[in-house]
């Protein structure tokens, strides 16, 4: 309590006593027995009023010590086990968590990473891939607003994610790297990358690009063999040296049979080579004998058209041609679907052909669209155009269920340029994206699909979708996010128009870096998603003895099955609905290819760049005690003392008011009882 508050209370008590003395003793003259009681009651009431005016407070200061977070991040992938460093890493974990100098100074939190970042219970080194960049990004999010320092224990080899060596300046905490494994550089020849298309057309030649890398001092010779379904289709001698340590080999192979084909590339090992697992590369291609033709009808040049062509033709099963609105019925009949870009009155002949042929369409409307004409020609659609141009942001509709859009994201997507107006779709429809203008969700469709028993039509209200494709590249360093959505829309519009109640989504081939899942969506008789259905999947190995039957698990409005425990090989599967005669079949392959086996030596150079960029340092296992000493003594990581001052009122106003009222009331009754004025 402050001195001024104490003096004020003493002064209030003195003034209250003087007022009581003047009234009950100086003026009263004769002292009756009730005088002392009345004086006391008057003193209490007056002193209470003074206390209300003073409102005295007391303060209490609490000093606490805040420790920083010490984050221990361990590589839990198979490359640690393959390098023979598993026991050493477990011992490092024990030494770091058991060091009293660290536990006294830090809050210690341990994590492990392979494909994802997880709280660490124990180290099993079973991860088939390692995403170091993803783990660091996750830690940056978790400890973004807290004081922290991190210790990374890894061999520096990454099989998934961004180039982590450049992430140091982006981290909000210093990172100390402890490199484990064999840092010796052995002679090594490997297949570093293979580029080829996922789909190939029958009787067509398809290109294959093979990138070879050599690490060593001497000149070497080897041989590259390429086998398609066990048949040797290409061979090339390879000569590399320390100066000429990489090679790109390009060739074209012929697709002669329809189906899923296995492509195996092998390199002969060189003298002294320790790791031969990276001399093999297995992948798959699918040979198909049909191609979907998509026509884009437009009378204007716009970047959107180029973006649509790139996105659709990213799937080799599709070909896109650009025509104008004066195209003849014969020209239009060559297409399996049409994309109508900002139609106007000149599109009359095109709409006449669509009405006669029943062709499915994808209409993109924008500021230059003639909505009066569109309302008249497009059955089931009415747009009230307010002739006001506006920037419109997309909002995903989570209830969309015609096909799976769970892997599509509109994060940081720029707005499209459109026109405000009420949109009425009178036929059955579902919206993929809704409109948002200036932070307000208009409850109007932005990207919608309308369907009936005969035709299907998609509508996008806005131009400049080329910006969406560009933003997809900025977000993910690739166009897959945008291209996958266009691929699914085209696939839906080019199908037979009969909605399947059971839709199954899967990959033809899975490897260690793939999300090994089969996903299914099931609808009831009214084509509403049925979350109560019981879906079962039967899996059978086609080249080995394996059978399994299990229930598919409901997750995020779809059913799925995890395939991560399946051994390598080829499989067939059937998805059935319990109690109904509905079934879907398919085939897939699990590749016998472990990315973690590609590495023999650790990579201290990249780890050093990462640590130095973040303000940390690089250490080796025999320098563990030096690392502990630095963490224990570095003044940057000292605990911080914080003082908290809690100021509270000394009195409770309710009690004090009650005290004053009771004193005054008692004084009044006593005076009345004794006949005092």
């Amino acid at each position: 309590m402050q001195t001024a508050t104490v003096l004020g209370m003493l002064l209030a008590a003195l003034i209250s006593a003087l007022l009581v003395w003047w009234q009950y003793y100086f003026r009263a003259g004769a002292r009756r027995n009730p005088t002392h009681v009345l004086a006391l009651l008057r003193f209490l009431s007056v002193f209470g009023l003074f206390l209300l005016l003073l409102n005295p407070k007391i303060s209490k200061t609490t000093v606490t010590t805040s420790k920083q977070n010490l984050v221990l991040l361990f590589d839990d992938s198979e490359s640690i086990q393959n390098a023979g460093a598993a026991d050493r890493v477990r011992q490092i974990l024990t030494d770091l968590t058991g060091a009293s100098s660290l536990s006294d100074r830090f809050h210690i939190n341990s994590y492990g990473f392979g494909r994802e970042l997880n709280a660490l219970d124990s180290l099993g080194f079973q991860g088939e891939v390692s995403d170091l960049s993803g783990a660091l990004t996750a830690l940056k999010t978790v400890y973004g607003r807290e004081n922290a320092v991190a210790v990374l224990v890894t061999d520096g080899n990454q099989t998934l994610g961004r180039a982590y060596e450049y992430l140091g300046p982006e981290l909000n905490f210093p990172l100390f790297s402890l490199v484990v494994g064999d840092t010796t550089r052995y002679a090594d020849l490997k297949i570093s990358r293979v580029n080829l298309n996922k789909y190939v057309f029958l009787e067509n030649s398809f290109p294959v690009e093979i990138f070879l890398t050599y690490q060593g001092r001497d000149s070497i010779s080897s041989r590259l063999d390429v086998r398609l379904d066990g048949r040797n289709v290409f061979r090339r001698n390879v000569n590399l040296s320390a100066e000429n340590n990489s090679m790109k080999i390009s060739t074209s192979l012929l697709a002669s049979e329809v189906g899923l084909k296995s492509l195996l590339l092998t390199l002969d090992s060189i003298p002294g080579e320790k790791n031969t697992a990276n001399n093999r590369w297995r992948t798959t291609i699918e040979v198909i004998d049909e191609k979907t033709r998509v026509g884009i009808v437009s009378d204007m040049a716009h970047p959107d058209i180029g973006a649509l062509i790139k996105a659709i033709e990213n799937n080799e099963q599709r070909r896109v041609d650009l025509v104008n609105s004066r195209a003849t019925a014969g020209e239009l009949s060559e297409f399996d679907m049409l994309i109508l870009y900002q139609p106007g009155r000149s599109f009359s002949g095109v709409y006449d052909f669509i009405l006669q042929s029943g062709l499915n369409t994808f209409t993109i409307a924008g500021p230059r669209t003639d909505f009066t004409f569109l309302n008249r020609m497009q059955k089931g659609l009415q747009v009230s155009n307010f002739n006001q141009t506006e920037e419109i942001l997309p909002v995903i509709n989570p209830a969309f269920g015609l096909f799976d859009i769970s892997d599509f994201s509109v994060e940081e997507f720029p707005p499209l340029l459109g026109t405000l107006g009420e949109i009425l779709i009178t036929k059955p429809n579902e919206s993929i994206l809704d409109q948002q203008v200036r932070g307000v969700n208009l409850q109007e469709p932005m990207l919608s699909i309308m369907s009936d028993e005969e035709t299907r039509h998609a509508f996008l209200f806005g131009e400049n979708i080329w910006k969406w494709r560009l933003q997809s590249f900025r977000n993910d360093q690739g166009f897959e996010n945008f291209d996958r959505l266009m691929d699914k829309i085209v696939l839906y519009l080019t199908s037979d128009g009969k909605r399947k109640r059971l839709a199954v989504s899967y990959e033809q081939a899975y490897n260690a870096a793939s999300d090994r899942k089969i996903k299914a969506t099931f609808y009831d008789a009214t084509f509403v998603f049925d979350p109560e259905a019981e879906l079962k999947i039967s899996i059978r190995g086609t080249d080995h003895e394996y059978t399994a039957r299990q229930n598919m698990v409901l997750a995020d409005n779809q059913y799925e099955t995890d395939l991560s425990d399946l051994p390598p090989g080829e499989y067939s599967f059937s998805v059935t609905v319990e109690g109904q005669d509905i079934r879907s079949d398919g085939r897939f392959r699990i590749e016998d290819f472990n990315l973690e086996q590609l590495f023999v030596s650790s990579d201290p150079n990249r780890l050093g760049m990462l640590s130095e960029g973040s303000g940390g340092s690089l250490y080796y296992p025999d320098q563990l005690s030096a690392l502990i000493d630095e963490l224990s003594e570095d003044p940057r990581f000292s605990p911080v003392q914080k003082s908290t001052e809690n100021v509270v009122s000394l009195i409770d106003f309710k009690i004090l008011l009650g005290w004053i009222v009771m004193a005054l009331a008692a004084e009044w009754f006593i005076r009345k009882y004794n006949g005092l004025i």
Side-chain angles (χ1 to χ4, degrees):
M1 187 183 300
Q2 297 181 357
T3 304
T5 302
V6 176
L7 293 177
M9 293 177 64
L10 293 176
L11 181 60
L14 178 61
I15 295 174
S16 301
L18 289 175
L19 289 174
V20 171
W21 174 80
W22 180 77
Q23 180 174 2
Y24 281 101
Y25 294 98
F26 180 76
R27 289 178 55 195
R31 298 186 179 181
R32 301 179 182 178
N33 289 333
T35 303
H36 302 298
V37 177
L38 293 173
L40 178 61
L41 292 174
R42 177 57 61 91
F43 174 80
L44 292 177
S45 60
V46 174
F47 183 60
L49 290 173
F50 279 120
L51 287 181
L52 282 177
L53 296 175
L54 288 174
N55 189 22
K57 294 182 175 62
I58 59 174
S59 63
K60 181 179 180 181
T61 302
T62 304
V63 179
T64 59
T65 301
S66 176
K67 297 181 181 179
Q68 294 195 31
N69 293 293
L70 175 59
V71 182
L72 305 180
L73 182 59
F74 286 84
D75 189 339
D76 200 19
S77 63
E78 288 188 12
S79 63
I80 302 296
Q81 185 77 46
N82 297 336
D87 293 337
R88 186 72 180 98
V89 172
R90 291 190 179 98
Q91 185 60 46
I92 290 172
L93 173 60
T94 302
D95 293 342
L96 288 174
T97 54
S100 58
S101 60
L102 297 181
S103 58
D104 292 341
R105 200 178 201 201
F106 299 98
H107 293 296
I108 300 178
N109 302 291
S110 301
Y111 299 89
F113 71 91
R115 182 185 296 274
E116 298 177 347
L117 180 70
N118 297 294
L120 187 62
D121 294 326
S122 62
L123 290 167
F125 307 109
Q126 299 298 316
E128 294 182 343
V129 294
S130 52
D131 185 3
L132 178 52
S133 63
L136 293 175
T137 303
L139 285 181
K140 184 177 71 171
T141 302
V142 174
Y143 295 96
R145 297 185 178 181
E146 301 181 28
N147 293 326
V149 57
V151 175
L152 171 64
V153 182
T154 179
D155 57 6
N157 295 317
Q158 177 179 254
T159 56
L160 195 67
R162 299 167 54 191
Y164 68 82
E165 61 267 29
Y166 304 110
L167 293 179
E170 300 180 15
L171 300 178
N172 42 27
F173 51 80
L175 178 73
F176 293 84
S177 297
L178 191 64
V179 57
V180 295
D182 192 351
T183 58
T184 305
R185 293 294 179 180
Y186 297 96
D188 186 38
L189 177 64
K190 67 179 179 180
I191 303 173
S192 56
R193 192 168 80 246
V194 176
N195 292 337
L196 76 165
N197 295 325
K198 185 177 180 181
Y199 298 98
V200 180
F201 298 101
L202 184 64
E203 302 300 335
N204 283 359
S205 294
F206 60 95
V208 180
E209 289 184 342
I210 307 162
F211 295 85
L212 309 180
T213 306
Y214 168 65
Q215 174 185 296
R217 299 179 179 178
D218 302 326
S219 298
I220 57 97
S221 296
S222 183
R223 185 180 65 185
L224 173 70
D225 288 309
V226 180
R227 294 179 176 86
L228 184 62
D229 268 1
R231 179 171 51 90
N232 197 308
V233 293
F234 179 78
R235 176 172 290 176
R236 169 75 62 86
N237 291 326
V238 176
N239 297 295
L240 295 172
S241 63
E243 293 77 20
N244 182 27
N245 58 7
S246 63
M247 177 182 289
K248 172 185 173 183
I249 299 176
S250 300
T251 185
S252 294
L253 305 179
L254 180 64
S256 57
E257 296 179 354
V258 175
L260 189 65
K261 303 299 178 182
S262 173
L263 194 66
L264 175 64
L265 297 83
T266 59
L267 274 172
D268 292 345
S269 60
I270 61 176
E273 188 173 16
K274 185 176 180 180
N275 181 17
T276 59
N278 56 17
N279 292 22
R280 297 167 57 89
W281 188 291
R282 184 186 293 274
T283 186
T284 58
I285 59 171
E286 184 179 2
V287 181
I288 56 179
D289 61 354
E290 60 181 11
K291 199 168 190 176
T292 301
R293 292 197 62 187
V294 178
I296 298 181
V297 184
S298 175
D299 286 337
M300 66 183 69
H302 197 282
D304 283 354
I305 297 174
L308 288 169
I309 293 174
K310 288 289 187 181
I312 297 172
E313 289 190 344
N314 185 55
N315 185 335
E316 292 293 339
Q317 297 183 75
R318 306 208 167 93
R319 172 183 166 186
V320 182
D321 292 306
L322 180 63
V323 297
N324 58 39
S325 61
R326 295 181 297 277
T328 64
E331 293 174 324
L332 297 176
S333 63
E334 298 293 327
F335 299 113
D336 298 296
M337 66 160 287
L338 293 176
I339 297 178
L340 309 177
Y341 191 79
Q342 303 215 40
R345 297 182 184 277
S346 61
F347 281 63
S348 297
V350 177
Y351 276 100
D352 290 340
F353 170 79
I354 294 171
L355 183 61
Q356 295 174 4
S357 64
L359 202 62
N360 295 337
T361 64
F362 181 9
T363 302
I364 299 178
R368 288 175 280 186
T369 300
D370 187 339
F371 285 100
T372 302
F373 169 78
L374 181 62
N375 291 339
R376 187 173 72 251
M377 302 303 295
Q378 182 65 64
K379 306 302 181 183
L381 175 69
Q382 288 293 319
V383 179
S384 301
N385 183 17
F386 297 157
N387 293 319
Q388 178 180 346
T389 303
E390 188 61 80
E391 291 186 336
I392 304 172
L393 283 169
V395 179
I396 290 182
N397 174 21
F400 181 79
L402 292 179
F403 48 81
D404 179 25
I405 59 168
S406 60
D407 55 356
F408 176 65
S409 171
V410 295
E411 181 180 358
E412 298 184 0
F413 270 26
L416 298 186
L417 190 62
T419 56
L420 293 180
E422 296 179 358
I423 300 172
L424 176 63
I425 303 178
T426 57
K427 291 186 178 181
N429 68 93
E430 289 194 31
S431 174
I432 300 177
L433 301 174
D434 291 331
Q435 298 185 20
Q436 185 183 84
V437 175
R438 301 178 185 179
V440 178
N441 194 331
L442 301 183
Q443 303 298 321
E444 298 284 355
M446 184 178 198
L447 175 58
S448 183
I449 292 181
M450 179 179 72
S451 60
D452 53 27
E453 294 298 327
E454 298 179 354
T455 59
R456 298 175 174 182
H457 302 281
F459 303 96
L460 174 64
F461 299 98
E463 67 174 29
N464 294 332
I465 58 172
W466 65 270
K467 296 181 179 180
W468 286 5
R469 193 167 191 263
L470 181 60
Q471 188 63 46
S472 291
F473 186 85
R474 289 176 177 172
N475 291 346
D476 308 318
Q477 289 71 54
F479 301 106
E480 290 80 5
N481 180 45
F482 179 84
D483 291 357
R484 276 196 304 262
L485 177 65
M486 291 297 108
D487 182 71
K488 291 177 179 179
I489 292 175
V490 172
L491 178 62
Y492 182 79
L493 295 177
T494 54
S495 59
D496 58 9
K498 297 180 180 179
R499 298 183 62 180
K500 296 181 179 180
R501 294 178 59 190
L502 177 62
V504 180
S505 172
Y506 65 99
E507 296 289 337
Q508 297 285 359
Y510 297 93
N511 55 42
S514 303
D515 185 15
R516 298 185 187 177
K517 292 181 179 179
I518 295 178
K519 300 179 180 180
T521 307
F522 179 70
Y523 305 95
D524 60 19
T526 61
F527 286 94
V528 176
F529 177 75
D530 186 359
E532 304 297 331
E534 185 177 351
L535 271 62
K536 294 184 178 294
I537 182 170
S538 299
I539 303 175
R540 181 177 62 86
T542 57
D543 58 352
H544 60 286
E545 293 185 3
Y546 178 89
T547 57
R549 181 175 172 83
Q550 60 192 39
N551 290 332
M552 300 188 74
V553 180
L554 180 63
D556 297 330
N557 288 332
Q558 60 184 352
Y559 298 86
E560 62 181 37
T561 295
D562 192 354
L563 308 175
S564 57
D565 294 334
L566 292 184
E570 294 188 1
Y571 297 86
S572 62
F573 71 90
S574 296
V575 177
T576 57
V577 182
E578 192 73 12
Q580 301 193 45
D581 187 19
I582 299 177
R583 171 174 174 162
S584 180
D585 299 326
R587 296 171 63 90
F588 63 89
R589 179 198 297 271
I590 301 291
E591 298 291 351
D592 185 12
F593 182 69
N594 190 332
L595 295 174
E596 293 295 313
Q597 294 179 356
L598 296 179
F599 305 101
V600 173
S601 302
S602 55
D603 195 342
N605 295 329
R606 297 170 68 192
L607 288 173
M609 290 178 59
L610 171 66
S611 297
E612 291 175 6
S614 68
S617 306
L618 178 70
Y619 287 87
Y620 293 88
D622 57 356
Q623 299 173 319
L624 180 60
S625 58
L627 172 60
I628 294 176
D629 291 340
E630 179 171 354
L631 294 173
S632 304
E633 299 172 2
D634 195 321
R636 292 181 296 170
F637 315 133
S638 299
V640 178
Q641 282 192 342
K642 297 180 180 180
S643 61
T644 304
E645 184 179 11
N646 187 21
V647 179
V648 297
S649 179
L650 182 64
I651 58 175
D652 189 318
F653 287 97
K654 294 181 180 179
I655 296 176
L656 186 58
L657 285 173
W659 170 10
I660 295 172
V661 171
M662 291 178 61
L664 291 174
E667 182 185 2
W668 184 81
F669 278 112
I670 292 174
R671 291 177 66 86
K672 283 294 184 182
Y673 180 78
N674 289 277
L676 299 176
I677 301 175

